[in-house]
């Protein structure tokens, strides 16, 4: 894209129209820009438009945003992403222009260009952009000399964005080389500007300087602190160790001094607090990582932070300062310098002046509870990454308890009694004191290792529950004091394992009642409490609560859960849906429960199909349908047709409208229904089967596992229909496509194994040459451990289903006498890698039958091959997995927050049952030794010699032990 008046006009018009409230011109402009982005020098042209003073600022701002996003997607675009990256010559020109342009721009445009510069810096700085830092430093010194703090802060903001990457990278030589380069060049100018600005602040503050003068100076100091944090994050640099005193003196000053001119206004106070919070993060970093070097300053800072916290109001604008300051004290409390808290009444003072004020409910908490229940629960539930004042204050107490547990327990127990006494004196007015007491007990409870069980030394759980919690749960009005109700439900959820079963069962009807509470938080917590109670296990691992325990109120429970989903803003409440899933998984589902449940679930499903928004809710919705289908049909197979009538319209809507997010779920539910059916399958299913065979269905990788699962169900339930009209050829075509790629080869084997297991040999024989060719080609071109194990399992399954003669015969159609090569180079070395009870049994039995029943292997000329195969069989059955299988990289954990991505999401309740193809053989070890002993008895004296020459000593000993155990001799 050439820079000329026409380009200027074109881009100006496009960006102007992107701001239009009218959809047509806006979409047309977006389309034109999207098409232009592939042109060389597009980014450079947009940057030049941003620099054009004759163009309206609104248009230039839109262009700056577009430029930043263009760089994000194309600066480092990979060749296989389908996006054309920015060419090198254009990159160099952009890097030459961007710093000067950023510094001369208005604040709005400057912030966008600063972010764009940080995008480039993330990839290119410092190695591919050595000119950047000298240019920034030169401009910084020039702006500081001129007192131009708008430019100073623009440069520092940019430097902060670039250096931020040092906080998150792994410690490598390259990383430390980059940090050293930045320290060598930037640490001294940074310290200089920090001290110079500090003098200006002192001067302005003492002479009554205005807020307008002080604001940019405080912003400058905050940015200096953030850069200090980034440069010090990995290790304490020599420069900052040498200049620690200069920095710490200034840090302490900002924690101890007041600036009335700024602090008298909300935005000014925020500016001062932001600087103080940045200081607290820096001293906390030094406390965590450089404790020894920092200890000389520790007492002064602990005192300063403590004093500061006593004065920090409850205003939410001061939350960041409060949480960072408390974090610093928490770090000190768990360090070797914890003796700072050992003095008389120190812990009491901290509890009364810092903890209780920060744990007590504020108006903002009540507002969040009422107006945004999802955010309230996210912050209130354990595990949220949001540092709330309440949680961080309790973390301080936990930190203190590391070394002073008796004192903390005594002080907090006393505070809890005072809070409850205050509540008792006037419940209506002092209900927040009771809430505070409950919160302290819950937050300071400690989890026992390896389980959901919790304990606390603050209270006697049974007594506290009976006297404090139970009255709230038995309250007739589920809508009164909703925050107390929520806290009480949370308490029961937390201490669920300690509540005796008989008592908890009496409470279930109360919990069912709370599902009718108007407060979204209360009915969410009630649902969560029921769901978590149903997960409680006894010592042996058996569930504490069974179907019979909830039978008396099951119908009312399900009614209330579905009714709660009708409350405003709870239409897609994931806690309610998860509870529905859990209850259905525990209950015995009769027809009178199944009918309303499937009706309720399909009604919700048809609604969410219109606009899938909440992935977690939708996942639990599909799990609920799957568990309902499974559990109800286990009791009454006649319910299938009613379920199909309810479910098919929604499933067909998902398929017809290609609702991407739901397709894998729909295929898994269809597979579940097909498996529950008795042949012949209805025409509805056979239409889906034909859709399944179409190549287009398999294009999206996220659908493949679910499609394979469905195809397996059809192969199992409709083998006759599969073999009609060349359909098997299409099925095997899908197998070939999947098995050719390492990312889908396992799925290909699932299809192939199901074909072998459920179709007659006469049907599959004509196709076997093509199957072996596909497998051997893949083996030759790209063999992975996963593929090799899958191939051993497949060959074993083929042998046990259709006999070794057919296995050898079909293999030889690819190449005469190929079996010897396959055995020697592939089957024997890979057999010992097999894992899993059913798989080990299958492959051990198949390999044993191969060497005992194949004439070519029983022949004396194959003695060595026979012996080596037996060696692998004995390794497989006699040695533990960890001895014979090399560690493979672990699969990453799937995030609990299920999202709509290309990844497949498995429905646990629609899972395929693993079937044992050799259910008649109970013990594979016995089968191995009995078969070998039987073969040896026909040729006495021959096999002991082969065993002695070919089996490892450890395996010879193991074989002898097995022979003794099963009373079989190899003669």
């Amino acid at each position: 894209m050439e820079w000329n008046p026409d380009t200027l006009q074109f881009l100006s018009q496009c960006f102007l129209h992107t701001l239009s409230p009218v959809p047509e011109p806006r979409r047309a402009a977006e389309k034109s820009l999207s098409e232009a982005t592939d042109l060389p020098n597009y980014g450079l042209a947009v940057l030049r438009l941003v620099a054009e003073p004759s163009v309206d600022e609104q248009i230039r701002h839109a262009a700056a945003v577009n430029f930043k996003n263009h760089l994000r997607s194309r600066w480092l675009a990979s060749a296989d992403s389908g996006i054309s990256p920015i060419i090198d010559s254009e990159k160099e020109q952009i890097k030459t222009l961007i710093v000067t342009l950023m510094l001369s721009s208005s604040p709005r445009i400057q912030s966008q260009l600063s972010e764009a510069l940080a995008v480039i810096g993330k990839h290119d700085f410092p190695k591919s952009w050595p000119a950047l830092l000298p240019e920034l430093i030169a401009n910084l010194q020039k702006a500081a000399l001129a007192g131009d703090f708008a430019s100073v802060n623009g440069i520092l903001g940019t430097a902060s964005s670039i250096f931020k990457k040092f906080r998150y990278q792994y410690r490598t030589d390259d990383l430390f080389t980059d940090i050293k380069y930045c320290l060598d060049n930037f640490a001294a100018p940074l310290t200089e500007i920090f001290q110079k600005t500090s003098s200006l602040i002192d001067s302005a503050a003492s002479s009554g300087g205005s807020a307008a003068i002080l604001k940019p100076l405080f912003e400058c100091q905050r940015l200096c602190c953030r850069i200090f944090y980034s440069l010090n994050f990995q290790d304490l640099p020599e420069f900052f160790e040498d200049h620690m005193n200069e920095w710490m003196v200034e840090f302490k000053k900002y924690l101890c001094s007041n600036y009335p001119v700024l602090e008298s206004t909300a935005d000014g106070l925020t500016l001062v607090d932001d600087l103080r919070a940045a200081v607290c993060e820096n001293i906390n970093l030094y406390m965590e990582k450089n404790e020894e070097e920092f200890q000389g300053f520790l007492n002064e800072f602990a005192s300063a932070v403590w004093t500061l916290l006593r004065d920090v109001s409850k205003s939410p604008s001061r939350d960041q300062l409060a949480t960072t300051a408390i974090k610093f004290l928490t770090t000190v409390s768990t360090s070797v310098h914890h003796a700072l808290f050992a003095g008389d009444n120190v812990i009491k003072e901290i509890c009364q002046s810092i903890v209780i004020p920060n744990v007590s409910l504020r108006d903002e908490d009540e507002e969040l509870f009422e107006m945004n229940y999802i955010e309230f629960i996210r912050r209130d539930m354990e595990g949220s990454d949001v540092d709330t004042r309440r949680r961080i204050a309790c973390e301080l107490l936990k930190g203190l308890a590391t070394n002073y547990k008796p004192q903390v327990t005594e002080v907090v127990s006393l505070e809890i009694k005072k809070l409850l006494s205050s509540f008792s004196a006037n419940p209506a007015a002092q209900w927040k004191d009771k809430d505070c007491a409950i919160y302290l007990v819950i937050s300071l409870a400690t989890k026992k290792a390896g389980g959901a069980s919790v304990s606390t030394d603050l209270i006697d759980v049974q007594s506290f529950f009976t006297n404090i919690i139970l009255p709230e749960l038995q309250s007739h009005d589920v809508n009164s004091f909703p925050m107390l109700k929520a806290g009480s439900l949370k308490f029961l959820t937390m201490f669920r394992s300690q509540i005796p079963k008989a008592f908890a069962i009496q409470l279930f009807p109360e919990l069912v009642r709370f599902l009718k509470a108007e407060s979204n938080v209360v009915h969410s917590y009630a649902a969560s409490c029921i769901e978590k109670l149903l997960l409680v296990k006894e010592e042996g691992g058996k569930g504490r609560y069974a179907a019979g325990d909830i039978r008396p109120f099951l119908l009312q429970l399900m009614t209330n859960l579905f009714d709660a989903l009708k409350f405003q803003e709870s239409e897609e409440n994931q806690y309610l849906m998860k509870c529905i899933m859990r209850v259905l998984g525990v209950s015995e589902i009769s027809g009178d429960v199944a009918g309303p449940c499937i009706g309720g679930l399909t009604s919700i499903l048809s609604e969410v199909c219109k606009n899938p928004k909440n992935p977690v809710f939708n996942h639990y919705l599909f799990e609920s349908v799957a568990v309902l289908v499974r559990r109800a049909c286990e009791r009454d197979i006649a319910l299938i047709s009613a379920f199909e009538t309810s479910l098919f319209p929604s499933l067909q809507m998902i398929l017809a409208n290609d609702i991407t997010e739901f397709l894998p779920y729909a295929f898994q539910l269809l597979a579940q229904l097909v498996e529950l059916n008795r042949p012949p399958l209805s025409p509805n299913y056979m239409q889906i089967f034909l859709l399944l065979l179409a190549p287009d269905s398999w294009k999206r990788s996220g659908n493949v596992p679910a499609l394979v699962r469905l195809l397996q169900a059809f192969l199992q339930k409709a083998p006759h229909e599969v073999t009609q009209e060349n359909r098997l050829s299409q099925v095997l075509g899908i197998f070939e496509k999947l098995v050719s790629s390492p990312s889908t080869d396992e799925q290909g084997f699932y299809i192939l194994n199901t074909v072998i297991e459920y179709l007659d040999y006469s049907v599959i024989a004509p196709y076997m040459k093509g199957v072996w060719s596909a497998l051997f080609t893949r083996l030759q071109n790209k063999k992975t451990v996963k593929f090799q194990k899958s191939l051993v399992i497949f060959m074993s399954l083929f042998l046990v289903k259709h006999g070794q003669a057919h296995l050898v015969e079909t293999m030889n159609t690819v190449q005469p006498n190929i079996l010897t090569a396959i055995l020697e180079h592939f089957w024997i070395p890979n057999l010992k890698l097999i894992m899993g009870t059913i798989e080990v049994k299958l492959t051990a039995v198949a390999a044993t039958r191969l060497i005992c029943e194949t004439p070519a292997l029983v022949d004396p000329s194959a003695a060595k091959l026979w012996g080596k195969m037996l060696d692998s069989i004995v390794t497989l059955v006699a040695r533990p997995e960890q001895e014979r299988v090399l560690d493979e990289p672990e699969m990453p954990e799937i995030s609990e927050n299920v999202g709509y991505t290309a990844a497949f999401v498995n429905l646990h309740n629609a899972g395929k049952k693993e079937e044992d193809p050799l259910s008649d053989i109970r013990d594979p070890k016995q089968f191995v030794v009995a078969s070998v002993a039987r073969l040896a008895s026909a040729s006495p004296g021959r096999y002991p010699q082969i065993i002695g020459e070919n089996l490892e000593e450890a395996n010879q000993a193991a074989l002898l032990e097995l022979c003794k155990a099963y009373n079989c001799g190899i003669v």
Side-chain angles (χ1 to χ4, degrees):
M1 179 177 272
E2 284 186 37
W3 182 247
N4 54 40
D6 291 341
T7 302
L8 174 63
Q9 178 67 19
F10 165 73
L11 289 173
S12 299
Q13 284 299 308
C14 283
F15 285 118
L16 177 63
H17 289 313
T18 61
L19 304 171
S20 170
V22 184
E24 286 77 14
R26 187 175 68 246
R27 287 184 191 132
E30 286 166 354
K31 185 171 183 288
S32 297
L33 287 170
S34 176
E35 288 167 357
T37 53
D38 285 327
L39 298 172
N41 295 320
Y42 168 81
L44 192 59
V46 175
L47 188 61
R48 285 188 162 139
L49 171 66
V50 175
E52 191 58 53
S54 61
V55 176
D56 180 77
E57 180 168 339
Q58 210 176 1
I59 294 172
R60 289 190 291 129
H61 180 257
V65 173
N66 178 275
F67 174 73
K68 173 189 71 179
N69 293 331
H70 180 70
L71 263 53
R72 276 186 179 148
S73 63
R74 292 175 187 258
W75 195 267
L76 207 70
S78 57
D80 57 358
S81 66
I83 298 171
S84 52
I86 297 170
I87 56 174
D88 289 345
S89 59
E90 184 182 357
K91 284 182 176 181
E92 290 309 315
Q93 288 185 73
I94 288 171
K95 287 195 285 197
T96 304
L97 295 171
I98 191 166
V99 175
T100 308
L101 177 55
M102 180 195 76
L103 295 175
S104 61
S105 299
S106 64
R108 283 177 76 211
I109 293 173
Q110 187 179 78
S111 70
Q112 296 300 326
L113 293 180
S114 177
E115 284 183 48
L117 198 154
V119 171
I120 305 171
K122 184 181 174 184
H123 302 302
D124 286 21
F125 178 79
K127 288 184 182 64
S128 300
W129 199 359
L132 174 62
L133 206 53
E135 189 177 358
L136 287 177
I137 292 166
N139 280 293
L140 179 65
Q141 291 169 334
K142 184 178 163 189
L145 203 60
D148 177 6
F149 273 83
S151 293
V152 166
N153 291 344
I155 296 161
L156 290 175
T158 301
S160 179
S161 298
I162 294 167
F163 296 153
K164 195 177 280 187
K165 68 179 182 180
F166 295 147
R167 303 179 195 177
Y168 311 113
Q169 293 182 344
Y170 289 113
R171 294 165 69 91
T172 62
D173 290 345
D174 282 351
L175 173 66
F176 282 103
T177 302
D178 289 352
I179 293 174
K180 185 178 184 309
Y181 166 79
C182 295
L183 286 164
D184 290 347
N185 287 280
F186 204 79
L190 178 71
T191 305
E192 189 184 322
I193 196 88
F194 187 63
Q195 289 185 300
K196 179 181 178 179
T197 308
S198 187
S199 300
L200 291 171
I201 288 173
D202 292 347
S203 170
S206 62
S207 63
S210 68
I213 293 170
L214 284 167
K215 279 181 180 179
L217 301 177
F218 268 79
E219 175 61 9
C220 171
Q221 297 302 69
R222 185 190 71 82
L223 289 166
C224 287
C225 285
R226 302 314 293 140
I227 294 170
F228 178 94
Y229 188 85
S230 298
L231 293 177
N232 281 269
F233 187 85
Q234 296 288 349
D235 261 334
L236 174 59
E238 190 179 330
F239 178 91
F240 287 110
E241 188 173 0
D242 293 343
H243 295 80
M244 194 183 292
N245 196 57
E246 292 101 299
W247 282 87
M248 295 303 152
V249 165
E250 300 304 330
F251 285 169
K252 186 182 166 218
K253 180 181 76 183
Y254 293 126
L255 295 181
C256 298
S257 303
N258 291 317
Y259 299 92
V261 174
L262 283 177
E263 292 175 54
S264 59
T265 63
D267 62 333
L269 178 60
T270 300
L271 207 56
V272 178
D273 278 357
D274 284 349
L275 173 55
R276 288 171 177 153
V279 166
C280 287
E281 288 200 32
N282 285 339
I283 59 174
N284 192 49
L285 178 73
Y286 268 49
M287 192 62 223
E288 286 179 334
K289 299 196 172 192
N290 313 307
E291 193 175 325
E292 191 180 329
E293 294 84 354
F294 181 65
Q295 64 181 347
F297 304 96
L298 178 58
N299 286 13
E300 292 179 352
F301 275 115
S303 172
V305 169
W306 190 339
T307 306
L308 182 67
L309 274 169
R310 279 189 286 197
D311 298 334
V312 173
S313 70
K314 289 187 176 185
S315 163
S317 66
R318 311 200 76 183
D319 284 358
Q320 176 68 13
L321 173 59
T323 54
T324 52
I326 294 171
K327 267 186 185 176
F328 171 70
L329 291 183
T330 306
T331 304
V332 177
S333 74
T334 56
S335 74
V336 295
H337 301 287
H338 59 76
L340 287 171
F341 300 101
D344 291 345
N345 291 328
V346 172
I347 289 173
K348 183 180 179 183
E349 171 72 12
I350 286 176
C351 195
Q352 290 176 343
S353 64
I354 296 175
V355 176
I356 300 297
N358 281 296
V359 170
S360 299
L361 277 176
R362 299 175 296 165
D363 293 345
E364 292 74 25
D365 300 318
E366 291 184 73
E367 191 177 314
L368 192 67
F369 182 93
E370 290 169 15
M371 306 302 292
N372 188 347
Y373 84 94
I374 294 170
E375 182 60 20
F376 179 88
I377 293 173
R378 194 171 75 86
R379 292 184 185 188
D380 192 46
M381 286 278 195
E382 190 178 358
S384 163
D385 57 358
V386 177
D387 287 330
T388 63
R389 284 199 191 208
R390 299 189 102 186
R391 179 171 303 141
I392 220 76
C394 288
E395 288 300 319
L396 173 57
L397 283 179
K398 284 182 182 177
L400 288 166
T402 309
N403 296 294
Y404 305 101
K405 190 168 185 181
Q407 295 95 312
V408 169
T409 303
E410 185 186 342
V411 167
V412 178
S413 297
L414 201 62
E415 288 301 321
I416 288 170
K417 281 179 187 164
K418 280 161 63 178
L419 288 163
L420 292 174
S421 173
S422 164
F423 166 78
S424 300
N426 189 346
Q430 304 296 339
W431 66 269
K432 289 183 184 180
D433 286 344
K434 181 174 181 177
D435 174 88
C436 184
I438 294 170
Y439 189 89
L440 280 168
V441 173
I442 292 171
S443 297
L444 296 175
T446 51
K447 271 196 171 183
K448 292 180 183 173
S453 186
V454 293
S455 64
T456 180
D457 297 319
L458 292 174
I459 51 149
D460 174 70
V461 172
Q462 299 286 353
S463 166
F464 190 88
F465 184 80
T466 305
N467 297 321
I468 308 302
I469 302 299
L470 196 57
E472 297 298 335
L473 298 181
Q474 291 178 332
S475 161
H476 292 300
D477 184 359
V478 294
N479 294 314
S480 64
F481 301 105
M483 294 193 88
L484 269 185
K485 301 289 192 294
S488 301
L489 288 164
K490 191 178 168 192
F491 182 95
L492 174 54
T493 307
M494 174 71 84
F495 291 99
R496 60 192 178 276
S497 298
Q498 295 185 38
I499 307 296
K501 178 176 176 178
F503 191 31
I505 286 173
Q506 292 175 358
L507 283 173
F508 263 106
E510 309 291 358
L511 298 176
V512 172
R513 225 168 27 92
F514 273 100
L515 293 168
K516 290 188 164 184
E518 290 166 11
S519 161
N520 299 87
V521 176
V522 173
H523 60 241
S524 297
Y525 277 18
S528 183
C529 187
I530 294 166
E531 190 263 326
K532 293 286 191 293
L533 274 167
L534 294 179
L535 283 175
V536 175
K537 299 274 192 292
E538 299 293 13
E539 272 191 22
K542 189 183 173 194
R544 180 177 291 180
Y545 304 97
D549 298 322
I550 54 175
R551 189 183 299 120
F553 45 84
L554 177 61
L555 199 55
Q556 188 63 56
L557 169 57
M558 297 313 292
T559 303
N560 287 9
L561 280 166
F562 280 108
D563 284 349
L565 285 162
K566 294 170 187 166
F567 279 114
Q568 192 173 357
E569 292 186 16
S570 268
E571 298 88 351
E572 295 188 21
N573 184 318
Q574 65 200 52
Y575 304 99
L576 293 170
M577 190 51 73
K578 191 177 187 182
C579 185
I580 289 171
M581 176 195 77
R582 192 75 62 210
V583 172
L584 292 173
V586 171
S587 311
E588 287 171 358
I589 302 165
S590 55
D592 61 331
V593 174
C597 285
I598 196 67
L601 290 171
T602 49
S603 165
I604 295 164
L605 181 55
S606 63
E607 201 55 41
V608 296
C609 278
K610 295 172 187 172
N611 183 17
K613 294 195 295 279
N614 183 340
V616 180
F617 173 83
N618 293 333
H619 181 77
Y620 290 135
L621 169 61
F622 281 99
E623 285 284 14
S624 299
V625 173
V627 74
L628 176 62
V629 170
R630 178 168 62 81
R631 295 300 302 273
C633 294
E634 277 173 7
R635 280 175 60 92
D636 184 3
I637 204 76
L639 285 169
I640 291 177
S641 59
F643 283 1
E644 287 171 340
T645 305
S646 291
L647 280 171
F648 257 72
S650 293
L651 296 177
Q652 284 170 329
M653 187 196 309
I654 292 167
L655 299 181
N657 296 338
D658 195 30
I659 302 172
T660 314
E661 301 91 336
F662 290 171
L663 285 171
Y665 291 131
F667 294 137
Q668 289 174 85
L669 287 179
L670 285 165
Q672 189 184 23
L673 292 169
V674 168
E675 284 170 352
L676 287 165
N677 265 270
R678 290 179 182 146
L681 296 177
S682 72
N684 274 344
Y685 285 116
M686 294 320 294
Q687 281 179 339
I688 290 165
F689 177 60
L690 295 178
L691 175 76
L692 195 57
L693 297 180
D696 280 357
S697 302
W698 297 82
K699 282 183 177 173
R700 289 195 195 110
S701 60
N703 291 345
V704 167
L707 288 168
V708 167
R709 168 101 172 76
L710 180 53
L711 186 49
Q712 285 179 287
F714 278 114
L715 288 165
Q716 187 179 341
K717 288 291 179 178
H720 177 70
E721 288 86 342
V722 169
T723 58
Q724 307 298 306
E725 300 173 18
N726 197 37
R727 288 172 192 157
L728 181 55
S729 175
Q730 292 172 275
V731 169
L732 291 172
I734 293 165
F735 144 74
E736 281 195 33
K737 183 174 184 297
L738 295 178
V739 90
S740 65
S741 163
S743 62
T744 54
D745 52 11
E746 210 165 16
Q747 300 295 329
F749 276 110
Y750 291 156
I751 294 172
L752 187 58
N753 291 345
T754 313
V755 167
I756 296 304
E757 201 159 353
Y758 291 101
L759 302 189
D760 291 337
Y761 179 72
S762 58
V763 173
I764 62 175
Y767 299 97
M768 283 313 299
K769 181 179 180 181
V771 168
W772 289 121
S773 294
L775 292 172
F776 294 156
T777 301
R778 168 67 205 279
L779 185 63
Q780 204 169 5
N781 293 343
K782 190 159 190 180
K783 56 181 178 189
T784 60
V785 174
K786 182 180 64 160
F787 176 82
Q788 291 178 116
K789 288 202 269 192
S790 297
L791 182 50
V792 169
I793 290 165
F794 164 68
M795 293 193 301
S796 303
L797 182 66
F798 188 101
L799 187 147
V800 301
K801 284 291 175 186
H802 302 300
Q804 54 79 28
H806 286 320
L807 177 77
V808 176
E809 177 193 323
T810 54
M811 272 190 184
N812 286 341
T813 58
V814 178
Q815 184 183 314
N817 302 319
I818 198 172
L819 180 65
T820 305
I822 290 292
L823 275 173
E824 189 175 345
H825 300 295
F826 170 72
W827 204 329
I828 290 170
N830 285 292
L831 179 63
K832 60 188 80 167
L833 302 180
I834 301 302
M835 293 183 287
T837 309
I838 291 174
E839 290 84 353
V840 167
K841 185 212 283 194
L842 170 66
T843 52
V845 168
T848 305
R849 284 184 54 182
L850 189 70
I851 60 171
C852 293
E853 297 172 17
T854 308
L857 292 175
V858 178
D859 190 276
S861 63
K864 186 175 182 183
L865 212 52
W866 189 97
K868 290 300 177 194
M869 181 59 116
L870 181 62
D871 187 54
S872 278
I873 295 169
V874 175
T875 301
L876 180 68
V877 297
R879 292 210 199 160
E881 259 178 30
Q882 59 268 29
E883 271 184 39
R884 57 187 175 78
V885 180
L886 293 170
D887 283 342
E888 289 189 66
E890 285 288 317
M891 281 289 286
E893 286 290 319
I894 294 175
S895 165
E896 186 164 339
N897 297 326
V898 178
Y900 296 138
T901 63
F904 165 73
V905 182
N906 184 45
L907 278 179
H908 171 76
N909 288 297
K912 182 171 169 57
K913 285 181 184 171
E914 193 174 15
E915 293 182 20
D916 183 356
L918 293 169
S919 51
D920 53 322
I921 296 173
R922 298 189 58 157
D923 186 347
K925 294 176 184 177
Q926 184 178 19
F927 181 87
V928 171
V929 290
S931 301
V932 174
R934 199 162 43 247
L935 177 69
S937 66
S939 310
R942 178 178 157 198
Y943 286 98
Q945 184 184 347
I946 297 173
I947 289 166
E949 290 171 359
N950 292 288
L951 268 69
E952 290 178 17
E953 278 188 29
N955 282 347
Q956 289 183 43
L959 184 58
L960 195 60
E961 286 298 315
L962 289 172
C963 287
K964 282 182 191 170
Y966 296 107
N967 198 23
C968 295
I970 299 173
V971 294

